Amino acid sequence: MLRGRDVRSLEAMSTIDAQADTLPLGGPSLPQERRLVTELPGPRSAEILARKAAAVPAGVGHTVPVAAVAAGGGVVVDADGNSLIDLGSGIAVTTVGSAHPKVAAAIAAQAAQFTHTCFMISPYESYVEVAEALNRLTPGDFAKKSALFNSGAEAVENAIKIARKYTGRQAVVAFDHGYHGRTNLTMALTAKAMPYKSGFGPFAPEVYRAQASYPFRDGLSGAEAAARTILQLEKQIGADNLAAVIIEPIQGEGGFIVPADGYLPAIVDWCRANGVVFIADEVQTGFGRTGAMFASEIFGIVPDLITTAKGIAGGMPLAAVTGRAEIMDASHSGGLGGTYGGNPVACAAALAAIDAYETEGLLERAAEIGALLKDRLSAIQAGDPRLGDIRGHGAMIAAEFVDPATGAPDAALTGAVAKAAIAQGVIVLTCGTFGNVIRFLPPLTIGDDLLNEGLDVIAAALAAHPSSAGA
Ligand SMILES: *Cc1c(COP(=O)(O)O)cnc(C)c1O
């Protein structure tokens, strides 16, 4: 129940002008426009970024040189009053928008009641409700349970813990181009040295790497790629030693790689036949991002365990492992948890965000955004063969840039286009093992006009950059 003061703060939130002489409030009523009033960074952002350089270690980098003060709909506003088009959602987190009114209200109401008890000391209903929602929404028509954590990496760590305890086996397989986080075990699972692993070893043992499916680069059918993977699992590790296989249904940091048809079902079937726990890491693909609630649905697979985070709670830090009840129940009491896991403010935000996913047509909107992005990018590709591949589902679309003569990855062009777009007030992110992919992850609350304007800026940046082939 909302209290009087919460209702007042809600009214204030919907009235930007109420605080016009201070900082703007975020949310959907923020003017939806690209507006540059200074070069980036402007003076106020530059001052904050200079303090960042002095106070925060260099290892914590940033790609967009502005200090944010508000965000909502499809824009991020900086400390100098610049308004940037947001095609990144803070890495697929603010899928329901930044400061979604229901999420903001739920956070305010819960913070006024209590911020923490520790679920392992005195449990509360909202954690249970989030678990029930995850058990209901994830694929699989069987009894499920969920445990909550704080970050994607922590969810992945716990999924591996649970799979090892359940199977009594130790080995874990992750894949080329995989990304699972920055903690020690998840660094071991991650496939990319720079920037994620270099100098940070030694890494956790009993982690093995196999090749997955990357149709644009390996040219294999799903069945061929699966046969290659399975040979590696059987010969290098041995099924009897293998606790779990962990894979992103669409590999995120690795380049938004969509596996060939039939690849994932074949791997799931092999795991099931060999008593291996199949873990889908849906930290980036989950919660409507791909136009389905979970990307596993697109490929017709039912994972044993699913890890989620990013889009789960409208920007609040929350993560989960959801899966078959008998696997989830393998751990002794006290074996799973953490001081903050399933924080009540984050749970309140998650329940509001899940309500938005289910009732506001956001999955349909993700599909529309995907169609618009693919149409526009295909039109650009028709006149520019450096755009080698366009792929993805829903609001998770990638453009892979290559040297048209050789197909070699063109990271220099990719970086230059992204940098130019950012300087023009369009937040775009790059990814890919070879650094040659621009990824589109807009909030589902962005309008078509902003999407089109963002693509106009990217197309102009591309046209302004001569081919770097042979340079
Ligand atoms: C971002 C990401 C993670 C790590 O999540 P954090 O919250 O940054 O720890 C794990 N897996 C995938 C697929 C991700 O995209």
PDB file of all heavy atoms in Angstrom, residues 91 150-154 156 179-182 248 252-253 281-285 307 309-310, ligand 1:
ATOM      1  N   ILE A  91      23.652  -1.595 -20.819  1.00  0.00           N
ATOM      2  CA  ILE A  91      23.912  -3.012 -21.140  1.00  0.00           C
ATOM      3  C   ILE A  91      22.687  -3.885 -20.838  1.00  0.00           C
ATOM      4  O   ILE A  91      22.725  -4.781 -19.979  1.00  0.00           O
ATOM      5  CB  ILE A  91      25.175  -3.593 -20.462  1.00  0.00           C
ATOM      6  CG1 ILE A  91      26.332  -2.573 -20.444  1.00  0.00           C
ATOM      7  CG2 ILE A  91      25.611  -4.865 -21.206  1.00  0.00           C
ATOM      8  CD1 ILE A  91      27.658  -3.155 -19.926  1.00  0.00           C
ATOM      9  N   ASN A 150      22.816 -11.065  -6.360  1.00  0.00           N
ATOM     10  CA  ASN A 150      22.974  -9.632  -6.626  1.00  0.00           C
ATOM     11  C   ASN A 150      23.436  -9.282  -8.025  1.00  0.00           C
ATOM     12  O   ASN A 150      23.247  -8.154  -8.465  1.00  0.00           O
ATOM     13  CB  ASN A 150      23.975  -9.026  -5.642  1.00  0.00           C
ATOM     14  CG  ASN A 150      23.546  -9.246  -4.218  1.00  0.00           C
ATOM     15  OD1 ASN A 150      22.505  -8.756  -3.810  1.00  0.00           O
ATOM     16  ND2 ASN A 150      24.317 -10.012  -3.476  1.00  0.00           N
ATOM     17  N   SER A 151      24.104 -10.188  -8.693  1.00  0.00           N
ATOM     18  CA  SER A 151      24.677  -9.857 -10.001  1.00  0.00           C
ATOM     19  C   SER A 151      24.633 -11.092 -10.885  1.00  0.00           C
ATOM     20  O   SER A 151      24.503 -12.227 -10.403  1.00  0.00           O
ATOM     21  CB  SER A 151      26.128  -9.400  -9.849  1.00  0.00           C
ATOM     22  OG  SER A 151      26.932 -10.499  -9.475  1.00  0.00           O
ATOM     23  N   GLY A 152      24.795 -10.852 -12.177  1.00  0.00           N
ATOM     24  CA  GLY A 152      24.815 -11.964 -13.115  1.00  0.00           C
ATOM     25  C   GLY A 152      25.925 -12.944 -12.794  1.00  0.00           C
ATOM     26  O   GLY A 152      25.723 -14.173 -12.814  1.00  0.00           O
ATOM     27  N   ALA A 153      27.107 -12.424 -12.495  1.00  0.00           N
ATOM     28  CA  ALA A 153      28.239 -13.307 -12.196  1.00  0.00           C
ATOM     29  C   ALA A 153      27.930 -14.175 -10.979  1.00  0.00           C
ATOM     30  O   ALA A 153      28.246 -15.376 -10.958  1.00  0.00           O
ATOM     31  CB  ALA A 153      29.496 -12.479 -11.950  1.00  0.00           C
ATOM     32  N   GLU A 154      27.298 -13.590  -9.981  1.00  0.00           N
ATOM     33  CA  GLU A 154      26.984 -14.352  -8.770  1.00  0.00           C
ATOM     34  C   GLU A 154      25.948 -15.443  -9.065  1.00  0.00           C
ATOM     35  O   GLU A 154      26.017 -16.545  -8.516  1.00  0.00           O
ATOM     36  CB  GLU A 154      26.470 -13.385  -7.695  1.00  0.00           C
ATOM     37  CG  GLU A 154      26.703 -13.876  -6.289  1.00  0.00           C
ATOM     38  CD  GLU A 154      26.011 -12.996  -5.257  1.00  0.00           C
ATOM     39  OE1 GLU A 154      25.654 -11.838  -5.550  1.00  0.00           O
ATOM     40  OE2 GLU A 154      25.800 -13.501  -4.140  1.00  0.00           O
ATOM     41  N   VAL A 156      25.653 -16.976 -11.959  1.00  0.00           N
ATOM     42  CA  VAL A 156      26.375 -18.017 -12.696  1.00  0.00           C
ATOM     43  C   VAL A 156      27.187 -18.877 -11.718  1.00  0.00           C
ATOM     44  O   VAL A 156      27.175 -20.114 -11.786  1.00  0.00           O
ATOM     45  CB  VAL A 156      27.277 -17.394 -13.780  1.00  0.00           C
ATOM     46  CG1 VAL A 156      28.226 -18.431 -14.364  1.00  0.00           C
ATOM     47  CG2 VAL A 156      26.427 -16.771 -14.884  1.00  0.00           C
ATOM     48  N   TYR A 179      30.606 -15.207 -22.518  1.00  0.00           N
ATOM     49  CA  TYR A 179      30.866 -14.220 -21.448  1.00  0.00           C
ATOM     50  C   TYR A 179      29.952 -14.542 -20.275  1.00  0.00           C
ATOM     51  O   TYR A 179      28.737 -14.661 -20.440  1.00  0.00           O
ATOM     52  CB  TYR A 179      30.595 -12.782 -21.910  1.00  0.00           C
ATOM     53  CG  TYR A 179      30.842 -11.798 -20.785  1.00  0.00           C
ATOM     54  CD1 TYR A 179      32.127 -11.324 -20.529  1.00  0.00           C
ATOM     55  CD2 TYR A 179      29.819 -11.387 -19.939  1.00  0.00           C
ATOM     56  CE1 TYR A 179      32.373 -10.465 -19.471  1.00  0.00           C
ATOM     57  CE2 TYR A 179      30.051 -10.534 -18.879  1.00  0.00           C
ATOM     58  CZ  TYR A 179      31.338 -10.073 -18.649  1.00  0.00           C
ATOM     59  OH  TYR A 179      31.582  -9.233 -17.596  1.00  0.00           O
ATOM     60  N   HIS A 180      30.550 -14.659 -19.081  1.00  0.00           N
ATOM     61  CA  HIS A 180      29.738 -14.998 -17.908  1.00  0.00           C
ATOM     62  C   HIS A 180      30.043 -14.145 -16.694  1.00  0.00           C
ATOM     63  O   HIS A 180      29.468 -14.380 -15.636  1.00  0.00           O
ATOM     64  CB  HIS A 180      29.898 -16.485 -17.586  1.00  0.00           C
ATOM     65  CG  HIS A 180      29.481 -17.378 -18.723  1.00  0.00           C
ATOM     66  ND1 HIS A 180      28.152 -17.595 -19.055  1.00  0.00           N
ATOM     67  CD2 HIS A 180      30.198 -18.052 -19.653  1.00  0.00           C
ATOM     68  CE1 HIS A 180      28.082 -18.397 -20.113  1.00  0.00           C
ATOM     69  NE2 HIS A 180      29.307 -18.687 -20.499  1.00  0.00           N
ATOM     70  N   GLY A 181      30.972 -13.162 -16.791  1.00  0.00           N
ATOM     71  CA  GLY A 181      31.193 -12.261 -15.673  1.00  0.00           C
ATOM     72  C   GLY A 181      32.653 -12.065 -15.348  1.00  0.00           C
ATOM     73  O   GLY A 181      33.546 -12.540 -16.065  1.00  0.00           O
ATOM     74  N   ARG A 182      32.891 -11.351 -14.236  1.00  0.00           N
ATOM     75  CA  ARG A 182      34.233 -10.890 -13.887  1.00  0.00           C
ATOM     76  C   ARG A 182      34.737 -11.427 -12.554  1.00  0.00           C
ATOM     77  O   ARG A 182      35.800 -11.006 -12.093  1.00  0.00           O
ATOM     78  CB  ARG A 182      34.242  -9.353 -13.832  1.00  0.00           C
ATOM     79  CG  ARG A 182      33.953  -8.665 -15.152  1.00  0.00           C
ATOM     80  CD  ARG A 182      33.705  -7.174 -14.891  1.00  0.00           C
ATOM     81  NE  ARG A 182      33.409  -6.408 -16.092  1.00  0.00           N
ATOM     82  CZ  ARG A 182      34.326  -5.852 -16.882  1.00  0.00           C
ATOM     83  NH1 ARG A 182      35.604  -5.983 -16.617  1.00  0.00           N
ATOM     84  NH2 ARG A 182      33.961  -5.144 -17.937  1.00  0.00           N
ATOM     85  N   GLU A 248      25.152 -19.100 -23.358  1.00  0.00           N
ATOM     86  CA  GLU A 248      24.172 -18.039 -23.601  1.00  0.00           C
ATOM     87  C   GLU A 248      23.408 -18.428 -24.867  1.00  0.00           C
ATOM     88  O   GLU A 248      24.047 -18.659 -25.902  1.00  0.00           O
ATOM     89  CB  GLU A 248      24.879 -16.706 -23.831  1.00  0.00           C
ATOM     90  CG  GLU A 248      25.817 -16.267 -22.726  1.00  0.00           C
ATOM     91  CD  GLU A 248      26.965 -15.411 -23.282  1.00  0.00           C
ATOM     92  OE1 GLU A 248      26.760 -14.211 -23.513  1.00  0.00           O
ATOM     93  OE2 GLU A 248      28.056 -15.961 -23.513  1.00  0.00           O
ATOM     94  N   GLY A 252      26.241 -12.837 -25.943  1.00  0.00           N
ATOM     95  CA  GLY A 252      26.142 -11.382 -25.841  1.00  0.00           C
ATOM     96  C   GLY A 252      27.457 -10.672 -26.122  1.00  0.00           C
ATOM     97  O   GLY A 252      27.716 -10.245 -27.247  1.00  0.00           O
ATOM     98  N   GLU A 253      28.310 -10.555 -25.091  1.00  0.00           N
ATOM     99  CA  GLU A 253      29.587  -9.847 -25.270  1.00  0.00           C
ATOM    100  C   GLU A 253      30.366 -10.404 -26.457  1.00  0.00           C
ATOM    101  O   GLU A 253      31.110  -9.689 -27.108  1.00  0.00           O
ATOM    102  CB  GLU A 253      30.465  -9.992 -24.019  1.00  0.00           C
ATOM    103  CG  GLU A 253      29.894  -9.420 -22.746  1.00  0.00           C
ATOM    104  CD  GLU A 253      29.837  -7.918 -22.759  1.00  0.00           C
ATOM    105  OE1 GLU A 253      30.796  -7.282 -23.226  1.00  0.00           O
ATOM    106  OE2 GLU A 253      28.817  -7.383 -22.303  1.00  0.00           O
ATOM    107  N   ASP A 281      22.572 -19.337 -19.730  1.00  0.00           N
ATOM    108  CA  ASP A 281      22.869 -18.036 -19.125  1.00  0.00           C
ATOM    109  C   ASP A 281      22.061 -16.990 -19.890  1.00  0.00           C
ATOM    110  O   ASP A 281      22.443 -16.558 -20.976  1.00  0.00           O
ATOM    111  CB  ASP A 281      24.368 -17.747 -19.183  1.00  0.00           C
ATOM    112  CG  ASP A 281      24.720 -16.421 -18.500  1.00  0.00           C
ATOM    113  OD1 ASP A 281      23.789 -15.678 -18.144  1.00  0.00           O
ATOM    114  OD2 ASP A 281      25.924 -16.143 -18.333  1.00  0.00           O
ATOM    115  N   GLU A 282      20.917 -16.629 -19.305  1.00  0.00           N
ATOM    116  CA  GLU A 282      20.025 -15.637 -19.931  1.00  0.00           C
ATOM    117  C   GLU A 282      20.141 -14.283 -19.233  1.00  0.00           C
ATOM    118  O   GLU A 282      19.185 -13.504 -19.212  1.00  0.00           O
ATOM    119  CB  GLU A 282      18.570 -16.139 -19.919  1.00  0.00           C
ATOM    120  CG  GLU A 282      18.350 -17.354 -20.819  1.00  0.00           C
ATOM    121  CD  GLU A 282      17.235 -17.140 -21.842  1.00  0.00           C
ATOM    122  OE1 GLU A 282      16.956 -15.974 -22.208  1.00  0.00           O
ATOM    123  OE2 GLU A 282      16.650 -18.149 -22.276  1.00  0.00           O
ATOM    124  N   VAL A 283      21.318 -14.018 -18.666  1.00  0.00           N
ATOM    125  CA  VAL A 283      21.509 -12.743 -17.978  1.00  0.00           C
ATOM    126  C   VAL A 283      21.263 -11.568 -18.930  1.00  0.00           C
ATOM    127  O   VAL A 283      20.634 -10.579 -18.561  1.00  0.00           O
ATOM    128  CB  VAL A 283      22.915 -12.676 -17.337  1.00  0.00           C
ATOM    129  CG1 VAL A 283      23.256 -11.260 -16.904  1.00  0.00           C
ATOM    130  CG2 VAL A 283      22.990 -13.623 -16.137  1.00  0.00           C
ATOM    131  N   GLN A 284      21.738 -11.696 -20.178  1.00  0.00           N
ATOM    132  CA  GLN A 284      21.541 -10.598 -21.132  1.00  0.00           C
ATOM    133  C   GLN A 284      20.295 -10.791 -21.997  1.00  0.00           C
ATOM    134  O   GLN A 284      19.612  -9.831 -22.351  1.00  0.00           O
ATOM    135  CB  GLN A 284      22.780 -10.445 -22.033  1.00  0.00           C
ATOM    136  CG  GLN A 284      22.781  -9.169 -22.845  1.00  0.00           C
ATOM    137  CD  GLN A 284      24.148  -8.716 -23.348  1.00  0.00           C
ATOM    138  OE1 GLN A 284      24.237  -7.948 -24.292  1.00  0.00           O
ATOM    139  NE2 GLN A 284      25.213  -9.157 -22.729  1.00  0.00           N
ATOM    140  N   THR A 285      19.972 -12.043 -22.331  1.00  0.00           N
ATOM    141  CA  THR A 285      18.875 -12.310 -23.278  1.00  0.00           C
ATOM    142  C   THR A 285      17.503 -12.361 -22.612  1.00  0.00           C
ATOM    143  O   THR A 285      16.489 -12.348 -23.308  1.00  0.00           O
ATOM    144  CB  THR A 285      19.104 -13.661 -23.986  1.00  0.00           C
ATOM    145  OG1 THR A 285      19.359 -14.667 -22.988  1.00  0.00           O
ATOM    146  CG2 THR A 285      20.275 -13.608 -24.939  1.00  0.00           C
ATOM    147  N   THR A 307      20.058 -18.761 -15.597  1.00  0.00           N
ATOM    148  CA  THR A 307      20.521 -17.623 -14.812  1.00  0.00           C
ATOM    149  C   THR A 307      19.962 -16.349 -15.424  1.00  0.00           C
ATOM    150  O   THR A 307      19.944 -16.191 -16.650  1.00  0.00           O
ATOM    151  CB  THR A 307      22.059 -17.545 -14.798  1.00  0.00           C
ATOM    152  OG1 THR A 307      22.545 -17.585 -16.138  1.00  0.00           O
ATOM    153  CG2 THR A 307      22.657 -18.695 -14.011  1.00  0.00           C
ATOM    154  N   ALA A 309      19.515 -11.831 -14.722  1.00  0.00           N
ATOM    155  CA  ALA A 309      19.919 -10.620 -13.973  1.00  0.00           C
ATOM    156  C   ALA A 309      19.484  -9.430 -14.827  1.00  0.00           C
ATOM    157  O   ALA A 309      18.311  -9.328 -15.158  1.00  0.00           O
ATOM    158  CB  ALA A 309      21.418 -10.604 -13.695  1.00  0.00           C
ATOM    159  N   LYS A 310      20.420  -8.588 -15.202  1.00  0.00           N
ATOM    160  CA  LYS A 310      20.220  -7.404 -16.057  1.00  0.00           C
ATOM    161  C   LYS A 310      18.777  -6.857 -16.128  1.00  0.00           C
ATOM    162  O   LYS A 310      18.433  -5.987 -15.363  1.00  0.00           O
ATOM    163  CB  LYS A 310      20.805  -7.673 -17.448  1.00  0.00           C
ATOM    164  CG  LYS A 310      22.346  -7.777 -17.397  1.00  0.00           C
ATOM    165  CD  LYS A 310      23.010  -7.623 -18.739  1.00  0.00           C
ATOM    166  CE  LYS A 310      24.500  -7.384 -18.609  1.00  0.00           C
ATOM    167  NZ  LYS A 310      25.356  -8.569 -18.738  1.00  0.00           N
TER     168      LYS A 310
HETATM  169  C1  LIG B   1      26.483  -9.260 -18.047  1.00  0.00           C
HETATM  170  C2  LIG B   1      26.505 -10.731 -18.092  1.00  0.00           C
HETATM  171  C3  LIG B   1      26.948 -11.490 -16.989  1.00  0.00           C
HETATM  172  C4  LIG B   1      27.511 -10.863 -15.740  1.00  0.00           C
HETATM  173  O1  LIG B   1      26.548 -10.090 -15.081  1.00  0.00           O
HETATM  174  P1  LIG B   1      27.028  -9.034 -13.971  1.00  0.00           P
HETATM  175  O2  LIG B   1      25.756  -8.552 -13.370  1.00  0.00           O
HETATM  176  O3  LIG B   1      27.805  -7.977 -14.691  1.00  0.00           O
HETATM  177  O4  LIG B   1      27.871  -9.790 -13.011  1.00  0.00           O
HETATM  178  C5  LIG B   1      26.869 -12.867 -17.067  1.00  0.00           C
HETATM  179  N1  LIG B   1      26.401 -13.467 -18.173  1.00  0.00           N
HETATM  180  C6  LIG B   1      25.977 -12.778 -19.247  1.00  0.00           C
HETATM  181  C7  LIG B   1      25.440 -13.514 -20.431  1.00  0.00           C
HETATM  182  C8  LIG B   1      26.030 -11.395 -19.246  1.00  0.00           C
HETATM  183  O5  LIG B   1      25.652 -10.692 -20.322  1.00  0.00           O
END
